[in-house]
């Protein structure tokens, strides 16, 4: 029997009970505090997170705006097609990654199973086209050309095609009205990538996984305006995926329409005339090689001389932009990106660089006047010009005695410019230049806008090149090691050039100066640069930024933003020099190197100004150039390995003018047949419902042939 008193034992039990009560109370207090924290203090936050876990979004893609010509004719719009798509997420949940489903789908669509499987694989550095470069969570289009019967088969046998959908969907269409393709100007679309979605998160125009964006041309330049805003419907669902409510939704906003300055009729003519000129050039024998000209690429630009607006722009070889709609096939992708097809994705009007030949001579003519040589003075035009032991010949070794600068432009006398540039080179110190040489001929080219982009509203324009002293130094630093390794003093031509460049490639030699003066050597220009320059000569000296977009019109027609012409400078010539050069270029068309192509032209009613160019390129046949303008328009055409300027490009340029002004081969003007005798000033009519009222396209154009004697340049 215990000796502990009963009162002591009771006290200890009481203490233990109190301790247990305190512990329980503390636990309850802690739990209550945690519940308060979760439900009261941070309740809204966790409620939102919980709700978001049970919200599903349904995206309604916005209808993309149309791209219209100056009269409202659609160049790119949308049409409803039956699109069959595959959910890669659903397919990857299957044991065979959906191969069985895709094989059955291929049979329904009359496609090869591998072709269908290639379309749903994801693009990476090692995966060739076709592949999917959009989000892996977005439905991947297999075809946009499904028939009604095929769509019904898929939908009626849904159990055989899990993850496959067949729905009517607006699809981009490149209409090519009257065969006006305009592929490189319009561009194309492809699905947005995850990286692009992330980059656009904080922008004013965020991207959704369902978006397609412009990859080139106007589709890229005006993508934000054309794309619109996708609609989002949010549904609240339970854990079993059943809809239990509808959340906040946003209506889709269709994209705006872009009205361009392109005239589809003139665009069609420009494309056809360029293609025909190249075809005809391939029939002509090259006297230097004994083979026919290859005429492997070309471009033409038709520009409003007083605004810089583009009326037509064609590049050849070309392609059908509809090839990208619904995903491009492997065969088409190889065609568009392969060397064999000569890279038709390139817009050679803004990305094709070549030596300009004699169309460059308006620049050294201006440089000579600014350097102190008078336009009306006479300068020797011998058949050749010698510097040391090197002989520089005039075109076809012709001499014209003593002539003015205007006459030098008319007959395209190389030796006049050789002499003037050589003199300036000597005044600047020759091979060892002064500390601050005048460099009139190079300085003037930069003032004309060469060596930099024109600012056209199309992506990926290139800048060309003015091979001045700084360029020579930079180029030498980059290449001297190779030159010194390959060069031989007594080797072949290429080895001797490498040897000379190794020793003094950083210096401006006399040969560099005289070659540059006639648009040869290392000088590179683009057709859009030369069109901008000749337009400036036509309008009195203003260098306009070339533009294709003319206005952006909202889908409801209530908002119209016109794109006004803008200038990036003026030509470095006074009014007198401008007038003298104008007269000389008119002489080129009436009695100079282009006269045989413009015989019978109504010069008194539509004064024509022109300059021919034949640029020599080492290792290739000559490049054909033809630059021209009236008071309204400028047309510049070039054909790579196409022969002479007047011989290859001249007839095509005349035919484009003839169609625009309604001029017959014998020089009669029929205003009723003139497609665009003056630039289109007004925008097309916009209806109250926002639709743009387009004029009828008109009859198809048939090329008018021209005749003439043998080309002189």
């Amino acid at each position: 029997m215990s000796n502990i008193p009963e009162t002591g034992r009771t006290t200890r039990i009481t203490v233990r009970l109190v301790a247990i009560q305190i512990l329980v109370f503390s636990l309850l207090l802690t739990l209550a505090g945690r519940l308060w924290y979760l439900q009261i203090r941070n309740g809204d936050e966790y409620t939102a997170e919980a709700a978001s876990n049970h919200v599903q979004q349904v995206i309604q893609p916005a209808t993309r705006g149309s791209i219209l010509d100056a009269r409202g004719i659609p160049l790119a719009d949308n049409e409803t097609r039956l699109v069959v798509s595959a959910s890669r997420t659903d397919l990857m949940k299957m044991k065979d990654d959906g191969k069985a489903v895709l094989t059955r789908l291929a049979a329904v669509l009359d496609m090869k199973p591998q072709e269908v499987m290639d379309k749903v694989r994801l693009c990476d550095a090692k995966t060739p086209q076709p592949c999917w470069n959009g989000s892996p969570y977005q439905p991947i289009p297999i075809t946009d050309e499904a028939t009604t019967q095929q769509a019904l088969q898929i939908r009626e046998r849904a159990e055989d095609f899990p993850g496959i959908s067949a729905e009517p969907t607006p699809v981009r269409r490149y209409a090519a009205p009257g065969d006006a393709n305009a592929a490189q100007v319009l561009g194309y679309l492809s699905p947005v990538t995850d990286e692009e979605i992330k980059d656009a998160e904080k922008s004013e125009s965020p991207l959704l996984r369902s978006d397609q964006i412009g990859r080139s041309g106007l589709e890229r330049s005006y993508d934000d305006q054309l794309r619109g805003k996708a609609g989002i419907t949010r549904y609240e669902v339970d854990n079993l995926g059943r809809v239990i409510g509808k959340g906040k939704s946003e209506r889709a906003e269709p994209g705006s329409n872009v009205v361009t300055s392109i005239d589809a009729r003139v665009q069609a003519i420009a494309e056809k005339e360029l293609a025909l000129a190249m075809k005809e050039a391939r029939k002509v024998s090259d006297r230097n090689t004994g083979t026919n000209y290859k005429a492997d690429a070309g471009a033409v630009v038709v520009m409003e001389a007083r605004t810089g607006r583009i009326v037509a722009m064609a590049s050849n070889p070309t392609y059908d932009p509809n090839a990208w709609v619904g995903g491009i096939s492997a065969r088409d992708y190889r065609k568009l990106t392969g060397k064999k097809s000569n890279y038709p994705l390139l817009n050679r009007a803004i990305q094709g660089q070549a030596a300009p030949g004699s169309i460059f001579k308006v620049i050294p003519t201006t440089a000579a006047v600014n350097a102190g040589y008078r336009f009306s003075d006479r300068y020797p035009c011998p058949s050749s010009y010698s510097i040391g032991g090197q002989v520089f010949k005039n075109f076809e070794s012709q001499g014209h005695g003593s002539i003015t600068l205007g006459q030098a432009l008319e007959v395209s006398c190389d030796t006049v410019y050789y002499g003037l540039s050589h003199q300036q080179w000597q005044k600047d110190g020759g091979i060892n230049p002064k500390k601050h040489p005048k460099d009139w001929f190079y300085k003037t080219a930069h003032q004309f806008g060469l060596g930099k982009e024109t600012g056209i509203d199309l992506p990926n324009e290139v800048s060309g090149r003015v091979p001045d002293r700084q360029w020579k130094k930079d180029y030498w630093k980059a290449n001297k090691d190779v030159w010194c390794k390959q060069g031989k003093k007594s080797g072949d031509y290429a080895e001797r050039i490498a040897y000379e460049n190794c020793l003094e490639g950083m210096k401006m030699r006399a040969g560099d100066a005289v070659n540059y003066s006639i648009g040869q050597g290392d000088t590179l220009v683009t057709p859009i640069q030369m069109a901008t320059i000749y337009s400036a000569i036509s309008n009195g000296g203003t260098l306009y930024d070339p533009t294709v977009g003319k206005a952006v019109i909202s889908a409801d027609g209530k908002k119209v933003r016109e794109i006004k012409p803008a200038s990036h400078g003026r030509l470095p010539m006074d009014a007198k020099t401008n007038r003298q050069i104008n007269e000389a270029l008119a002489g080129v068309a009436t009695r100079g190197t282009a006269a045989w192509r413009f015989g019978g032209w109504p010069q008194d009613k539509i004064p024509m100004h022109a300059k021919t160019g034949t640029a020599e390129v080492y290792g290739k046949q000559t490049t054909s150039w033809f630059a021209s303008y009236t008071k309204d328009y400028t047309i510049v055409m070039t054909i790579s390995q196409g022969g002479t300027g007047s011989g290859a490009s001249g007839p095509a340029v005349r035919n484009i003018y003839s169609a625009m002004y309604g001029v017959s081969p014998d020089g009669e003007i029929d205003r009723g047949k003139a497609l665009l005798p003056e630039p289109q000033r007004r925008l097309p009519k916009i209806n109250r419902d926002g639709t743009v009222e387009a004029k009828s396209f008109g009859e198809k154009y048939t090329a008018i042939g021209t005749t003439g004697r043998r080309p002189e340049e």
Side-chain angles (χ1 to χ4, degrees), residues 46-57 233-248:
Y46 287 106
T47 299
E49 287 187 13
S52 67
N53 289 335
H54 293 82
V55 171
Q56 294 293 333
Q57 294 184 351
T233 302
R234 297 176 176 87
Y235 292 100
E236 296 177 11
V237 298
D238 60 17
N239 292 333
L240 298 177
R242 294 173 300 192
V243 176
I244 58 176
K246 191 174 181 181
K248 183 180 178 182

Side-chain angles (χ1 to χ4, degrees), residues 518-531:
I518 61 164
Q520 295 284 173
D522 294 309
T523 307
L524 292 176
V525 302
T526 63
I528 193 65
Q529 287 176 324
M530 299 313 295

Side-chain angles (χ1 to χ4, degrees), residues 578-596:
N578 180 258
R579 184 180 68 253
Q580 290 170 324
I581 289 178
N582 262 290
E583 292 172 355
L585 295 177
V588 173
T590 56
R591 55 183 177 270
T593 56
W596 72 291

Side-chain angles (χ1 to χ4, degrees), residues 58 227 281 294 386 394 423 429 565 572 635:
V58 177
R227 191 171 66 247
K294 295 179 181 179
S386 298
N394 207 1
Q423 290 175 26
I635 300 180

Side-chain angles (χ1 to χ4, degrees), residues 584-611:
L585 295 177
V588 173
T590 56
R591 55 183 177 270
T593 56
W596 72 291
R597 286 303 191 193
F598 279 88
W601 182 263
Q603 189 72 9
D604 57 331
K605 297 176 182 176
I606 308 173
M608 181 63 62
H609 306 76
K611 188 72 195 82

Side-chain angles (χ1 to χ4, degrees), residues 84-85 94 100-110 148-166:
V84 176
S85 303
M94 302 174 191
V101 173
L102 295 177
T103 301
R104 288 195 293 271
L105 179 63
V108 172
L109 299 177
D110 295 326
T148 303
Q149 185 178 359
Q150 290 170 336
L152 286 173
Q153 270 188 277
I154 294 168
R155 300 186 73 169
E156 289 175 354
R157 295 165 49 198
E159 69 279 2
D160 293 334
F161 300 102
I164 306 299
S165 61

Side-chain angles (χ1 to χ4, degrees), residues 540-709:
T542 302
L543 289 161
Y544 282 105
D545 299 346
T547 53
V548 183
K550 194 173 183 180
V552 177
I553 303 174
S554 63
D556 58 9
K558 294 180 180 179
K559 296 180 181 178
V560 178
R561 178 176 68 85
E562 288 194 54
I563 301 168
K564 301 290 187 181
S567 167
H568 59 266
R570 288 191 59 81
L571 297 180
M573 63 173 69
D574 57 23
K576 181 180 179 181
T577 304
N578 180 258
R579 184 180 68 253
Q580 290 170 324
I581 289 178
N582 262 290
E583 292 172 355
L585 295 177
V588 173
T590 56
R591 55 183 177 270
T593 56
W596 72 291
R597 286 303 191 193
F598 279 88
W601 182 263
Q603 189 72 9
D604 57 331
K605 297 176 182 176
I606 308 173
M608 181 63 62
H609 306 76
K611 188 72 195 82
T612 58
T614 306
E616 296 179 0
V617 182
Y618 176 70
K620 290 187 176 183
Q621 296 169 314
T622 54
T623 300
S624 169
W625 283 93
F626 199 95
S628 60
Y629 62 85
T630 62
K631 66 180 179 64
D632 304 300
Y633 303 108
T634 298
I635 300 180
V636 172
M637 180 177 285
T638 183
I639 300 175
S640 169
Q641 303 194 91
T644 64
S646 60
S649 301
V653 170
R654 174 167 180 166
N655 286 344
I656 297 171
Y657 278 120
S658 295
M660 294 173 74
Y661 285 111
V663 179
S664 66
D666 60 2
E668 294 297 320
I669 301 174
D670 186 344
R671 294 277 295 190
K673 293 183 178 179
L675 295 183
L676 203 63
E678 58 187 31
Q680 178 82 21
R681 302 298 183 196
R682 296 181 180 178
L683 293 174
K685 183 180 177 181
I686 305 167
N687 297 320
R688 290 184 177 181
D689 61 356
T691 58
V692 179
E693 193 171 299
K695 296 183 179 179
S696 61
F697 184 82
E699 296 180 3
K700 286 191 175 183
Y701 167 74
T702 303
I704 303 171
T706 58
T707 59
R709 59 183 177 82

Side-chain angles (χ1 to χ4, degrees), residues 454-500:
T454 63
I456 189 170
D457 55 345
L458 291 175
N460 302 320
E461 180 188 6
V462 298
S463 61
R465 180 169 68 209
V466 177
D468 53 19
R469 296 182 192 277
Q470 187 59 50
W471 178 85
K472 287 282 290 183
K473 291 177 182 177
D474 295 341
Y475 193 64
W476 178 75
K477 288 179 181 177
N479 294 278
K480 64 177 180 178
D481 292 340
V482 175
W483 286 333
C484 294
K485 184 177 180 180
Q486 295 178 349
K488 293 182 181 179
K489 187 175 183 180
S490 57
D492 60 22
Y493 176 77
E495 290 170 333
R496 293 197 307 273
I497 292 295
Y499 176 77
E500 292 176 10

